Amino acid sequence: MTRAPRRLLLDNIRHPRLPRWLWPSLLLVLAALLLWPYVGLWRLNQRITSEPPSALEHSVDIQAVRDQIRRRLNKEANSDIGEVSDAFIGWIEQGIRRPGNETLQRTVTLEWLHGLLRERSSGEGGFLPAVRYAFYDPPDGFRVRIAADGTSPLHLRMEPTLFGWRVTAIYY
């Protein structure tokens, strides 16, 4: 007698009773959430191939990029930037040696990022053919690795906003 109620309980756990119309809606929402950062990456590519550097303002949080580089320089602060190349360290050292306190303000610009992504572009296809990795970085990020021939890999970290995904960290 005790087996029947126990089995009924397990059946309810294994087969939740949701209305049939709800399953397609849930699948559609899940698919949209999974594709959302890829759409943001595609938009970034479109801006690189056909628009001036100032158009990146909608796809890049340049203050967050500067902050992540600043955090990477401070050994006591956490940063979303992973292992960096010697070229990136050399570029940072060169910028630090310049006089003035606004080194990152002058060197980390939309034009700089536009140039980095254009270097990895292949004609009209932009940088998308050079993307070697693009996937979620839990809990709230999306990592992209762009490795074009003859250049060091460029890493982007994107985070969601109300209107799409924006680049918040860059390193190579």
Side-chain angles (χ1 to χ4, degrees):
M1 284 192 174
T2 59
R3 287 188 181 180
R6 188 174 187 188
R7 181 166 165 76
L8 184 61
L9 177 64
L10 290 176
D11 284 344
N12 286 336
I13 291 174
R14 289 184 189 151
H15 305 291
R17 308 239 184 236
L18 293 176
R20 283 187 171 203
W21 61 268
L22 190 57
W23 284 109
S25 302
L26 288 175
L27 289 175
L28 187 62
V29 168
L30 180 63
L33 287 175
L34 287 174
L35 293 175
W36 190 27
Y38 295 100
V39 171
L41 188 61
W42 177 79
R43 285 182 181 159
L44 178 64
N45 185 58
Q46 292 300 312
R47 288 187 173 116
I48 292 297
T49 58
S50 63
E51 297 181 27
S54 60
L56 293 179
E57 195 173 327
H58 304 289
S59 299
V60 177
D61 185 350
I62 200 70
Q63 278 305 119
V65 171
R66 290 175 185 142
D67 184 52
Q68 288 299 323
I69 293 172
R70 203 174 288 117
R71 287 171 175 262
R72 181 68 176 154
L73 293 173
N74 181 358
K75 293 180 181 178
E76 296 175 9
N78 290 332
S79 173
D80 289 329
I81 296 177
E83 288 295 316
V84 296
S85 67
D86 291 338
F88 188 74
I89 292 170
W91 174 79
I92 289 174
E93 286 176 350
Q94 180 185 15
I96 290 173
R97 288 188 184 123
R98 291 183 187 161
N101 294 333
E102 298 178 358
T103 302
L104 285 177
Q105 298 288 339
R106 287 192 312 258
T107 56
V108 179
T109 61
L110 294 175
E111 291 79 14
W112 168 74
L113 175 60
H114 192 272
L116 285 176
L117 290 171
R118 290 289 290 199
E119 285 176 12
R120 286 146 179 91
S121 295
S122 60
E124 293 181 20
F127 65 82
L128 284 183
V131 171
R132 299 294 177 253
Y133 178 84
F135 200 70
Y136 286 89
D137 183 32
D140 65 346
F142 189 79
R143 289 234 182 241
V144 180
R145 181 176 180 262
I146 304 167
D149 294 336
T151 60
S152 61
L154 179 69
H155 299 265
L156 305 176
R157 184 168 196 284
M158 301 170 69
E159 292 183 4
T161 64
L162 187 59
F163 300 108
W165 289 74
R166 295 184 79 182
V167 175
T168 58
I170 301 158
Y171 60 99
Y172 54 92

